[in-house]
Amino acid sequence: MQVTFTHHQSAHCENGVASNLLKNNGLNISEPMVFGIGSGLFFVYLPFIKVNYAPAISYRTLPGQIFNKVAARLNLKIKRQKFSSVVNANKALDENLKNNIPTGLQVGVYNLSYFPDEYRFHFNAHNLVVYGKTDKDYLISDPVMETVTTLTHEELDKVRFAKGAFAPRGQMYYPIQIPKDVDLKSAIIKGIKNTCRDMLAPMPIVGVRGIKFVSKQIRKWPIKHGTKKANHYLAQMVRMQEEIGTGGGGFRFIYAAFLQEASVILGNEELKELSKEMTKIGDSWRDFAVEASRIYKNRSAKEDAYNTIANELLDIANREEIFFKKLKKAIS
Amino acid sequence: MEKDKVPQDTSNLTKNNVKELLYATDENGNYTTTLSTGWEPKTIALSNSIDEINERIAEAKQQVLNGEVSPISYYMEVNKMDLTILSSYVGMWKWRVKRHFKPAIFAKLSDSILKKYADAFNISISELKNFKTD
């Protein structure tokens, strides 16, 4: 049993699944467009939550939000279902495949056998598409992989019912209604406004202010926690920032690509300039990662080194503050 | 980032022949996509956390051998779990799981409880009970 489905690799899983599912339903929308309209760019620092024994920093919105926002802004209807029993979850998925519907799933990463071992952590907000089934396997289109792949029936049960934070509970989703003509222009503007609001939010742990807050904390890490822990925190931060396209530089480049596309659709030259500026900010995020990696590579934590990267991060935050203020003006 | 500056470092992805997709600009400054085999700062960050995990595993193993904790604590580390994740896999309160870390309590656990742990760790009950030292 196999459904017609074209796999496109993407930089980030949720954008990718959304874009792939929509393309498959005849709505040709790129990954950056999904990311921009769905306001995927975000920042929040949650020092009271620990992930892998380090404070949580998220560069993204909650799982599912990007696609939900895209749907609301383009007037699409998506069906989402969660399950309490494995049997029912399988039945619903098989039913969908029978009806020729490729289906998006939220899954845990830990049991994805096609990932390299080192990447298999208990992270539950990954997304993929199931587009077919054989006697022992499900046919999988995982947007961060170059080509399609498979998981055995047992493996798919495990990843759908992974436990812990953001447990997917078998969640599956698929578009059920797509209008013939979508109003990209208004959706783009809504998406941009939403991102500006998030990034300029007057809350100390969110957006630009959140980045500044982290910069302040980094200075204290080696004194407060000692070299080893400080290095661990920093390494975790870089992983959350740059791993498989979920934050920092990677996200800035997708956003810059979105602004470039948006400038053509809206006929707004200013957005093109802002796209270039965002690219530069993305480069600075990557420079920050390089500097940070020097610290935890040498395992020597001079206070100085921590101050240097904290300054770098502060500079990024200041530039993003100016950037999002300009962006807000450019579309109003 | 310009397309020709996209790093192609060896990484943990290389051996599985996995490449990640990146957005980068072409010679005219327009965005396009390109593939990357890896990037050193990320590889170091990842191996840093792998080292961290291996240290925790070694430490837990020694503690089991010293009779300070039960094998549950060791297998939790092997499976990259923490208390929160383990307790949600076995469907028990955290304090209860923590209690099962005590060797004396662990020795008295029923097979049905042990099975929950064994399933979460993807091993058999006898593997869980008879801790191997190798």
Side-chain angles (χ1 to χ4, degrees):
Chain A
M1 189 159 53
Q2 185 173 341
V3 172
T4 41
F5 185 77
T6 320
H7 172 87
H8 302 271
Q9 193 182 6
S10 68
H12 179 241
C13 64
E14 192 179 335
N15 305 328
V17 165
S19 160
N20 281 345
L21 285 177
L22 294 177
K23 272 180 189 157
N24 193 65
N25 279 281
L27 178 62
N28 196 1
I29 183 165
S30 69
E31 180 190 1
M33 234 348 135
V34 169
F35 185 66
I37 291 176
S39 306
L41 196 72
F42 193 63
F43 186 92
V44 62
Y45 175 55
L46 301 166
F48 36 87
I49 297 176
K50 296 279 190 280
V51 177
N52 291 324
Y53 307 96
I57 299 173
S58 176
Y59 295 83
R60 54 181 282 175
T61 49
L62 288 172
Q65 280 216 340
I66 296 180
F67 203 8
N68 283 349
K69 284 181 175 170
V70 169
R73 286 167 190 166
L74 291 176
N75 276 324
L76 324 169
K77 279 206 182 99
I78 315 173
K79 187 163 179 181
R80 279 185 189 274
Q81 283 172 285
K82 284 187 180 177
F83 303 88
S84 48
S85 96
V86 179
V87 180
N88 286 342
N90 283 334
K91 222 188 267 169
L93 178 60
D94 292 350
E95 194 61 33
N96 258 9
L97 294 174
K98 221 177 274 167
N99 294 331
N100 212 14
I101 305 171
T103 305
L105 296 180
Q106 187 193 330
V107 297
V109 169
Y110 190 69
N111 281 302
L112 288 179
S113 48
Y114 53 80
F115 267 21
D117 269 351
E118 294 86 345
Y119 283 83
R120 291 167 60 182
F121 282 89
H122 294 275
F123 170 71
N124 287 331
H126 189 60
N127 293 275
L128 50 78
V129 174
V130 176
Y131 69 96
K133 186 184 182 181
T134 64
D135 291 341
K136 53 181 211 318
D137 289 331
Y138 277 101
L139 310 179
I140 308 288
S141 153
D142 187 320
V144 303
M145 305 292 284
E146 257 182 290
T147 54
V148 291
T149 169
T150 58
L151 285 174
T152 65
H153 295 176
E154 294 79 40
E155 282 167 345
L156 193 74
D157 287 347
K158 271 191 190 158
V159 298
R160 290 183 79 185
F161 285 90
K163 300 279 167 56
F166 301 121
R169 291 196 282 141
Q171 180 161 183
M172 58 183 235
Y173 55 90
Y174 49 97
I176 46 172
Q177 198 190 322
I178 295 179
K180 275 225 168 67
D181 296 303
V182 291
D183 183 5
L184 275 181
K185 284 184 185 171
S186 83
I188 289 170
I189 288 172
K190 277 182 198 156
I192 293 179
K193 275 189 180 157
N194 190 171
T195 301
C196 292
R197 205 182 323 124
D198 286 346
M199 293 306 285
L200 298 171
M203 276 179 286
I205 56 168
V206 176
V208 170
R209 297 185 63 177
I211 304 174
K212 289 183 186 171
F213 191 32
V214 173
S215 148
K216 221 195 249 165
Q217 297 294 312
I218 286 178
R219 293 177 207 279
K220 297 184 200 157
W221 282 350
I223 310 154
K224 204 168 154 193
H225 303 294
T227 312
K228 193 166 180 266
K229 210 166 172 186
N231 283 350
H232 172 65
Y233 281 9
L234 205 56
Q236 281 301 317
M237 183 176 170
V238 171
R239 282 192 55 216
M240 284 185 269
Q241 184 185 314
E242 301 293 342
E243 208 54 271
I244 325 208
T246 49
F251 267 17
R252 266 68 190 174
F253 298 140
I254 307 177
Y255 204 73
F258 158 69
L259 289 177
Q260 196 173 61
E261 231 181 288
S263 86
V264 178
I265 294 171
L266 297 176
N268 185 334
E269 273 302 307
E270 230 177 316
L271 292 184
K272 201 164 182 191
E273 286 312 306
L274 286 167
S275 160
K276 282 178 192 155
E277 201 173 321
M278 181 97 282
T279 306
K280 286 196 188 117
I281 294 175
D283 288 336
S284 300
W285 275 102
R286 285 179 75 93
D287 291 341
F288 168 80
V290 172
E291 284 304 319
S293 75
R294 290 217 175 105
I295 296 181
Y296 53 70
K297 188 184 180 185
N298 300 331
R299 306 192 175 219
S300 68
K302 289 181 222 136
E303 258 174 59
D304 249 28
Y306 277 86
N307 275 325
T308 314
I309 56 160
N311 289 339
E312 239 176 273
L313 196 60
L314 186 62
D315 176 57
I316 291 175
N318 286 330
R319 279 161 60 200
E320 291 205 343
E321 189 171 359
I322 299 166
F323 174 89
F324 285 108
K325 281 180 181 162
K326 272 200 254 175
L327 181 60
K328 205 170 147 189
K329 260 202 201 124
I331 48 142
S332 57
Chain B
M1 187 171 39
E2 284 132 48
K3 197 175 166 184
D4 48 5
K5 285 191 186 149
V6 169
Q8 304 290 348
D9 302 342
T10 30
S11 71
N12 311 75
L13 295 173
T14 323
K15 64 171 182 270
N16 289 49
N17 216 358
V18 179
K19 287 188 192 124
E20 58 178 325
L21 185 130
L22 275 172
Y23 284 80
T25 50
D26 64 14
E27 53 279 359
N28 303 318
N30 292 322
Y31 263 95
T32 173
T33 60
T34 183
L35 294 174
S36 164
T37 53
W39 187 34
E40 208 200 347
K42 288 196 338 189
T43 311
I44 310 168
L46 185 60
S47 57
N48 181 297
S49 2
I50 304 276
D51 291 348
E52 202 93 13
I53 290 166
N54 287 337
E55 263 170 48
R56 297 183 68 90
I57 294 173
E59 198 180 318
K61 189 175 188 177
Q62 197 52 50
Q63 282 176 328
V64 177
L65 295 177
N66 296 347
E68 291 163 29
V69 298
S70 74
I72 290 174
S73 164
Y74 166 78
Y75 283 110
M76 177 179 85
E77 297 294 348
V78 170
N79 284 279
K80 300 179 191 166
M81 293 174 172
D82 59 19
L83 194 56
T84 316
I85 295 169
L86 178 57
S87 80
S88 73
Y89 266 99
V90 293
M92 286 184 261
W93 295 100
K94 278 197 248 180
W95 62 265
R96 214 174 148 202
V97 174
K98 222 171 178 174
R99 197 166 159 267
H100 297 162
F101 286 178
K102 293 181 183 159
I105 309 274
F106 175 76
K108 282 186 272 181
L109 288 181
S110 70
D111 271 7
S112 65
I113 297 275
L114 286 174
K115 180 148 184 5
K116 285 186 183 172
Y117 284 107
D119 286 348
F121 300 140
N122 219 351
I123 54 175
S124 67
I125 295 179
S126 68
E127 275 176 281
L128 184 60
K129 271 180 168 168
N130 308 308
F131 188 68
K132 292 256 173 49
T133 48
D134 52 83

